Amino acid sequence: MTTEAPQRDHLAGDDPRLKKEFGTIGLLFTAIGSIIGSGWLFSSLHASEQAGPAAIISWVAGTIMFAFIGLSYAELGVMFPRSGGVARYPHYAWGSFASFSMGWVTWLACAAVASVEVSAVLTYASSYVHWLENDNATLKPAGLVIAILIMALFVLVNYFGVRWFARINNVLVWWKLAMIVLVIVAVTVSAFHASNFSLDTTDGNGFAPYGLKSAFEAIPAAGIAFSFLGWRQGIELAGETDNPRRNVPLTLIGSVLICGVLYILLQVAFIGAQDPGALRQHGWHDVGSLIQTGTDAGNFSPLATLATVLGMSWLAGLLYADAFISPGDTGLIYTSVTARMSYAMGRNRNAPAILAKVNDNGVPWPSLILAWIVGCVFFLPFPSWQALVGIVTSLTVLSFGSGAIALLTFRKQIPDQERPYRQPWVWVVAPLALLSTNLIMYWAGWDQVWKMMIAVAIGYVLLVIFTVTDTNKRAPRLDFKHGWWVLVWFAGITLVSYLGSYSGTAGVDAGEANVYGFNGGVLANIVLTIVVLAVAWYCQLPGERVQEILDETEHEEPLEPPVAL
């Protein structure tokens, strides 16, 4: 054995049994595979219904915003290639309270995604296998058993290590990329009406029939933001790639740009394929009903139904098959990521130590089991796919914002730390990344924000229980003195949302005060961004303490002995 591999393990600051199995393509394809899940099968329809042709603006804006968010993590992911990095960077910058706050919301969101994707698979399947779901889209007992078994399959594949996982994922991602390109080309060639992009309809005229407000509201509400969340895998699995300096920035930016271009082209093809005469009569709000053929399948797979209407039954068949493959692959990936998040919290010592146990295959297996158990809980009669997507998106985007702030504070806290990749224009990129995070949550609407804050409060209750009942004295000092800024941020998000004009999916009676309009909402979020940056900068840990934490994690021995298979 050469000395190079142990040196990389040491610098990772992780359990040395985590394997460095992800190469350039493996890590990039993990992010792309995570991005391309069930979202692309729904979002073109939902965005068109909400914004008309201006849905193209929604996708362009979403791509730019997530590119800024990804850029804010590129330097961090190379400087500290830690598994579960989104939860660990706040730990280094502000201590345990901030890291738990970010880790909790991230873990909860990740745990739900795998269940959402499995639910999507079974929803498509119920069009043919009617004993899987009830009429209200909740699972029947037999469907629940199938869902639990699919989740168990995700755990089994992940249990046997990153190499198995990466090989399976690479094949599935090639399929998913080919399917999106095929749909774009086939639909565009079959039917493309350029007049649709400036059409006057009964409920609105021109390119933006419902105004720019609806175009931006579609980013979280129509599943556009949800469709980009997978870029994070370049960070969560950074401790398991062989060349972080090259692979992490390439994955963070490459996955967003590649998928963004494909999504924009797909939206253009979808809009151009609609019947202009029907649109004039019914408008964009009813575009979903216009493409249905009278079967239940139209409710679940708009692209497949559109292919059927256009006379391409062969493409519809491939899309129904992809309705199993795309969500299934994303569920597989998020099972892995959820385990890495609870592993990171275990390493941070603000979660039970058992979650950081790693087997000989380099897999945090107790965290995998926990991901399976919690994922199965989400199969209970919860709301619809779109409603779950809203809360998952809000929670996940909330966790992203801390990276932009940590990027700035690390420049002062540890200026001499080696930075193999140094992000240029950092005082432009980081504030724009945090502003993008705040705006996406604001556009999600009050109905989503108050639910998100309840989930955050539940996490703090669990933190108190863990701290009080910790008999082994593993729980770290909470560092509330340096972490209280997150409460300012959460309170600010809540206040700005309540006073704003966005009600998300709940409609005008959601309870928001509507003090300011579209421009006022943007200005309010700019002010919030400045305040949060200032308070977080003030609260940062001293550089000496940051170095102590880094030394503790980099020299930490495995928390448990290897477990034989």
Side-chain angles (χ1 to χ4, degrees):
M1 177 181 294
T2 66
T3 59
E4 185 179 12
Q7 184 179 9
R8 288 199 302 266
D9 286 335
H10 167 75
L11 292 176
D14 281 318
D15 191 305
R17 284 164 294 175
L18 287 177
K19 308 296 184 182
K20 307 293 182 181
E21 300 284 7
F22 282 108
T24 304
I25 298 300
L27 194 64
L28 176 63
F29 270 31
T30 300
I32 292 176
S34 184
I35 290 174
I36 304 174
S38 60
W40 83 278
L41 297 168
F42 292 96
S43 295
S44 293
L45 169 64
H46 293 319
S48 297
E49 289 177 328
Q50 287 195 237
I56 297 171
I57 295 178
S58 307
W59 286 106
V60 172
T63 301
I64 294 172
M65 295 172 85
F66 277 97
F68 275 117
I69 294 172
L71 280 172
S72 71
Y73 276 91
E75 179 176 307
L76 300 178
V78 178
M79 185 166 59
F80 302 123
R82 312 292 204 252
S83 288
V86 172
R88 305 193 80 177
Y89 305 145
H91 185 71
Y92 306 150
W94 300 284
S96 184
F97 182 78
S99 72
F100 176 86
S101 300
M102 297 298 104
W104 164 252
V105 296
T106 306
W107 179 83
L108 189 63
C110 289
V113 169
S115 305
V116 171
E117 301 295 355
V118 171
S119 295
V121 170
L122 296 181
T123 297
Y124 290 120
S126 66
S127 299
Y128 309 99
V129 186
H130 300 293
W131 46 266
L132 290 175
E133 287 191 342
N134 298 303
D135 293 337
N136 62 355
T138 58
L139 293 173
K140 293 181 178 180
L144 182 61
V145 171
I146 299 298
I148 292 172
L149 290 177
I150 294 175
M151 289 288 291
L153 179 61
F154 293 163
V155 171
L156 185 65
V157 172
N158 277 281
Y159 182 87
F160 286 105
V162 166
R163 183 173 297 177
W164 276 47
F165 168 86
R167 287 174 176 172
I168 294 173
N169 180 67
N170 286 352
V171 174
L172 295 179
V173 170
W174 279 118
W175 161 274
K176 290 157 76 168
L177 288 172
M179 277 301 305
I180 294 183
V181 173
L182 179 62
V183 170
I184 293 170
V185 173
V187 171
T188 302
V189 171
S190 177
F192 190 82
H193 307 283
S195 62
N196 287 353
F197 296 89
S198 58
L199 201 65
D200 292 340
T201 68
T202 57
D203 58 353
N205 300 327
F207 180 75
Y210 314 124
L212 288 178
K213 178 178 182 291
S214 295
F216 289 108
E217 185 175 22
I219 294 175
I224 291 173
F226 178 80
S227 298
F228 279 109
L229 299 183
W231 68 269
R232 66 181 303 142
Q233 311 327 340
I235 293 296
E236 306 303 356
L237 301 173
E240 296 165 74
T241 186
D242 58 354
N243 190 339
R245 179 178 183 177
R246 177 190 63 203
N247 298 342
V248 172
L250 176 63
T251 296
L252 296 181
I253 307 307
S255 62
V256 171
L257 294 182
I258 290 171
C259 293
V261 170
L262 291 175
Y263 287 151
I264 293 168
L265 293 176
L266 180 65
Q267 185 69 66
V268 170
F270 184 88
I271 292 171
Q274 305 308 311
D275 180 8
L279 286 175
R280 287 192 185 94
Q281 182 178 357
H282 298 281
W284 288 101
H285 281 324
D286 290 332
V287 68
S289 62
L290 296 179
I291 65 173
Q292 291 184 22
T293 60
T295 65
D296 289 339
N299 295 323
F300 303 139
S301 185
L303 293 178
T305 306
L306 177 62
T308 301
V309 171
L310 296 176
M312 295 183 290
S313 57
W314 60 271
L315 180 60
L318 289 175
L319 281 165
Y320 284 123
D322 184 75
F324 293 86
I325 296 173
S326 287
D329 180 49
T330 301
L332 174 68
I333 294 170
Y334 266 93
T335 300
S336 175
V337 172
T338 304
R340 268 61 180 183
M341 287 306 306
S342 51
Y343 160 86
M345 295 176 73
R347 296 292 286 190
N348 288 345
R349 297 186 177 181
N350 49 28
I354 191 174
L355 296 178
K357 286 182 66 173
V358 174
N359 66 14
D360 287 339
N361 293 321
V363 175
W365 65 271
S367 287
L368 270 180
I369 300 300
L370 179 63
W372 176 67
I373 294 172
V374 174
C376 290
V377 171
F378 282 97
F379 292 130
L380 297 175
F382 282 109
S384 66
W385 178 89
Q386 193 172 5
L388 277 176
V389 162
I391 190 64
V392 168
T393 298
S394 298
L395 286 168
T396 308
V397 171
L398 175 63
S399 70
F400 291 160
S402 63
I405 311 172
L407 174 63
L408 297 179
T409 61
F410 283 151
R411 290 290 181 95
K412 179 182 179 182
Q413 292 168 305
I414 44 175
D416 297 328
Q417 181 76 26
E418 181 182 1
R419 288 169 167 82
Y421 173 83
R422 190 175 182 89
Q423 179 61 51
W425 298 92
V426 66
W427 282 98
V428 174
V429 170
L432 286 177
L434 182 59
L435 177 61
S436 297
T437 298
N438 290 334
L439 284 172
I440 291 171
M441 288 184 289
Y442 173 68
W443 291 331
W446 170 250
D447 189 56
Q448 297 297 337
V449 169
W450 74 261
K451 295 174 184 176
M452 177 177 65
M453 292 307 164
I454 288 179
V456 170
I458 292 173
Y460 288 139
V461 171
L462 294 177
L463 176 62
V464 171
I465 293 173
F466 170 65
T467 303
V468 171
T469 60
D470 178 36
T471 58
N472 295 325
K473 305 301 179 184
R474 286 191 68 257
R477 59 189 185 190
L478 289 180
D479 284 318
F480 186 77
K481 175 183 176 182
H482 297 281
W484 61 268
W485 69 269
V486 299
L487 299 182
V488 174
W489 187 26
F490 295 165
I493 291 168
T494 305
L495 179 63
V496 168
S497 177
Y498 180 76
L499 296 177
S501 58
Y502 282 86
S503 58
T505 59
V508 295
D509 295 324
E512 79 286 355
N514 195 9
V515 171
Y516 36 71
F518 176 79
N519 292 334
V522 173
L523 179 60
N525 279 280
I526 292 174
V527 172
L528 175 62
T529 299
I530 295 172
V531 170
V532 171
L533 283 172
V535 177
W537 182 272
Y538 172 79
C539 289
Q540 62 184 264
L541 287 170
E544 298 80 7
R545 176 56 186 155
V546 175
Q547 194 59 56
E548 288 177 7
I549 295 175
L550 292 174
D551 291 341
E552 290 170 2
T553 57
E554 290 182 359
H555 296 286
E556 209 170 32
E557 293 298 323
L559 295 175
E560 298 287 345
V563 178
L565 294 178

